[in-house]
Amino acid sequence: MKKYIFKTLNTIFTCLLFTSTVFGQEKLTLEEAISLALKNNYDIRLVKNDVAIAKNNANWGNAGMLPLVTGDFSTGGSRQNTVQTQASGTERRIDGARNSNMAYGVGLNWTIFDGFSMFANYDRLKALQQQGEKNATAQIFNTITDVLNAYYNVAKQQQLVVAADSTIDISAFRLRIADNKLKLGRGSKLDVLAAQVDYNTDTSAYLQQKNLLNNYMVTLNQLLARDVNTKFTVENYFEIDAGLNYTTLASQLEQLNPDLQSAILNKKIAELNLKQVQGNRYPQISINSGYDFSKSESPTGFNTQFRARGFSYGLTASINIFNGFLQRQNERNAKININSAELLINQTKQNLSAQLTSAYQDYSTFLELAKLEQGNVNIANQNLDITLEKYRLGNITPLELREAQKNAIEANNRYLEIKYQGKLAEIYLKQVSGTLNL
């Protein structure tokens, strides 16, 4: 058996790259995966639409700062049989008398003062737009975190598949030796059967690992919003960023976390809502003007025809004197909402701080475990090489070879899992602190 199969993980990575080249599968880089997610992912596209709506809503007209101009047109008529009795007693009958009227015009109404509520409303709409952008950033962070997790999971599964394939090679080597010994009269049928069982077990594990890999590829394709049956390979090599500092991350969290920024904007919106409500205490002043034309015809009237055109203008003012204490009630509710928004900020800070602390503890632990398990992998592989050579020479039993084989694959699996979990902790730290690089 060629020892280079078991020497280092780099050989495993090379084997996988060679396999992907043979089958002609797409090589998906991490940058390409993130780019596809930002472009195609449905959650990101939906939240971008919400931001676009909030941006469209943040305008002077929606805040009530611009005049309202309307055009009006009306026309109508009637046909009647009429009887008119005059003061002199003369009776006048008209059958089928036709009356008609028509009017059109342009009117303008502009609220020029409403207790500054319109200005508070405009600021509120702008704050809602900013909050929508922060919520969009949070959704993008969540989606990209899912993409990163899925990408590195596929990378881990690829390495596990190759490791399982290497295990089959060793079991096949052991089965050939046991079979050859039996044919030469130096072995037993029991050794051949045991080797066959272990070979079948390793083949089953390999097939299950390949199935897991395919399922995780489907998950990543789904996040990228593309054909879930797309086959691809990813970059196998990834390391945990060992340079993250808790104090720096906590400071960045205060400034950059989109959920916290959204909570702060929510308080600002609540304060602006109070200003809007308080504006109802002041008078509301509006100006109005218009140009009108009207025309009517009536053969039975004093004037058989009437026509008028011209401008109109005016000024209206109103003030709320008493509305059943609703003004006071609305102001109190608005102040309670401000207090609730402040509580939400403090709650969000506490939750994020707890998440950051727990994630950093996991991150630090996985860094140490990764170093330990990497050493275990090297030791287990060396032990497997030595054991394999001794088995070839007939100096050890098949059970000892199987034990060394299991130790090597378990050490490799533990190392890959810890590296993956450490990478997830790193990604989560960056997400919570708002420093995730897109």
Side-chain angles (χ1 to χ4, degrees):
M1 192 69 181
K2 296 181 180 178
K3 291 184 180 180
Y4 67 81
I5 297 179
F6 318 107
K7 284 296 183 182
T8 61
L9 290 176
N10 288 334
T11 306
I12 293 177
F13 301 162
T14 304
C15 289
L16 184 58
L17 291 175
F18 174 76
T19 302
S20 67
T21 303
V22 170
F23 289 97
Q25 293 181 356
E26 169 196 355
K27 180 66 175 292
L28 180 67
T29 67
L30 182 60
E31 292 76 11
E32 290 170 343
I34 292 175
S35 178
L36 285 171
L38 291 173
K39 178 181 178 182
N40 298 334
N41 183 269
Y42 292 112
D43 290 333
I44 291 179
R45 291 164 67 182
L46 287 170
V47 78
K48 284 182 177 179
N49 285 344
D50 292 338
V51 172
I53 291 174
K55 184 177 180 181
N56 290 337
N57 289 339
N59 58 74
W60 289 358
N62 204 29
M65 301 171 70
L66 298 179
L68 177 65
V69 180
T70 58
D72 300 293
F73 174 82
S74 65
T75 184
S78 64
R79 186 180 293 274
Q80 298 175 328
N81 297 328
T82 64
V83 177
Q84 294 178 335
T85 303
Q86 299 177 351
S88 61
T90 304
E91 189 177 83
R92 182 185 178 194
R93 293 178 177 271
I94 301 178
D95 294 331
R98 181 176 181 180
N99 302 310
S100 65
N101 61 79
M102 181 182 68
Y104 59 84
V106 178
L108 178 145
N109 187 282
W110 192 358
T111 300
I112 58 176
F113 181 77
D114 63 351
F116 306 105
S117 292
M118 65 179 71
F119 299 101
N121 191 26
Y122 179 71
D123 291 338
R124 183 183 67 86
L125 292 172
K126 296 296 288 185
L128 284 171
Q129 177 187 345
Q130 295 172 5
Q131 187 180 47
E133 292 170 352
K134 295 301 180 183
N135 292 339
T137 300
Q139 179 60 59
I140 290 172
F141 275 12
N142 290 336
T143 301
I144 296 305
T145 296
D146 291 341
V147 170
L148 293 174
N149 293 349
Y151 186 90
Y152 288 121
N153 199 5
V154 172
K156 179 190 72 173
Q157 294 301 326
Q158 284 182 165
Q159 297 175 56
L160 290 174
V161 167
V162 175
D165 187 48
S166 299
T167 302
I168 294 176
D169 289 340
I170 298 174
S171 296
F173 173 67
R174 173 186 159 197
L175 179 59
R176 285 197 302 270
I177 289 181
D179 189 58
N180 290 336
K181 285 182 178 181
L182 179 63
K183 290 178 180 178
L184 294 174
R186 297 173 54 192
S188 68
K189 183 67 174 178
L190 184 61
D191 287 342
V192 174
L193 293 176
Q196 183 67 58
V197 168
D198 289 339
Y199 175 81
N200 292 343
T201 299
D202 294 338
T203 302
S204 174
Y206 169 75
L207 293 175
Q208 293 179 55
Q209 199 65 59
K210 280 189 66 177
N211 183 61
L212 278 176
L213 173 59
N214 290 330
N215 288 339
Y216 288 126
M217 284 184 178
V218 170
T219 300
L220 182 53
N221 282 328
Q222 183 180 10
L223 288 169
L224 302 184
R226 65 178 186 173
D227 185 359
V228 295
N229 295 311
T230 302
K231 299 299 181 182
F232 60 92
T233 61
V234 301
E235 298 172 337
N236 286 307
Y237 182 78
F238 65 90
E239 291 293 338
I240 306 171
D241 182 358
L244 301 183
N245 178 271
Y246 179 82
T247 303
T248 302
L249 291 171
S251 174
Q252 291 170 327
L253 183 153
E254 291 279 348
Q255 302 296 325
L256 302 176
N257 182 273
D259 291 328
L260 180 56
Q261 296 301 312
S262 178
I264 293 173
L265 284 168
N266 192 56
K267 181 186 176 185
K268 180 180 179 181
I269 292 169
E271 292 170 342
L272 291 168
N273 281 333
L274 175 60
K275 287 186 177 181
Q276 277 189 274
V277 173
Q278 290 173 334
N280 293 330
R281 289 185 175 273
Y282 297 91
Q284 178 171 312
I285 302 174
S286 303
I287 59 175
N288 54 79
S289 66
Y291 178 84
D292 300 292
F293 172 83
S294 60
K295 175 185 177 182
S296 64
E297 295 182 0
S298 176
T300 61
F302 183 77
N303 297 318
T304 59
Q305 290 186 344
F306 174 81
R307 185 182 303 173
R309 70 178 69 196
F311 291 96
S312 61
Y313 54 87
L315 176 71
T316 60
S318 64
I319 187 170
N320 175 30
I321 298 175
F322 178 75
N323 65 349
F325 303 109
L326 292 178
Q327 178 65 28
R328 184 176 63 180
Q329 170 191 305
N330 293 338
E331 289 183 8
R332 286 177 176 176
N333 290 341
K335 290 177 181 178
I336 292 173
N337 286 333
I338 293 175
N339 180 257
S340 296
E342 181 67 31
L343 292 174
L344 180 61
I345 291 175
N346 294 333
Q347 182 186 44
T348 303
K349 285 182 179 179
Q350 185 180 52
N351 291 342
L352 291 173
S353 178
Q355 293 169 19
L356 185 72
T357 301
S358 297
Y360 194 81
Q361 290 174 352
D362 292 341
Y363 163 78
S364 301
T365 301
F366 285 126
L367 277 178
E368 294 300 318
L369 287 174
K371 294 177 184 178
L372 176 64
E373 292 298 339
Q374 187 174 29
N376 286 339
V377 168
N378 294 332
I379 294 171
N381 284 339
Q382 291 177 26
N383 180 60
L384 179 59
D385 286 340
I386 295 171
T387 305
L388 191 61
E389 181 63 20
K390 286 185 177 181
Y391 179 76
R392 188 181 67 81
L393 297 175
N395 295 333
I396 61 172
T397 65
L399 185 60
E400 292 175 293
L401 173 60
R402 183 62 176 175
E403 187 65 24
Q405 183 184 10
K406 289 174 63 178
N407 288 340
I409 192 65
E410 288 174 0
N412 180 66
N413 290 355
R414 284 197 310 272
Y415 173 63
L416 289 175
E417 181 62 28
I418 285 172
K419 271 187 65 178
Y420 174 65
Q421 293 299 329
K423 195 65 180 177
L424 296 192
E426 171 206 324
I427 293 168
Y428 187 68
L429 282 172
K430 292 179 178 179
Q431 178 191 7
V432 171
S433 63
T435 58
L436 191 63
N437 186 1
L438 302 183

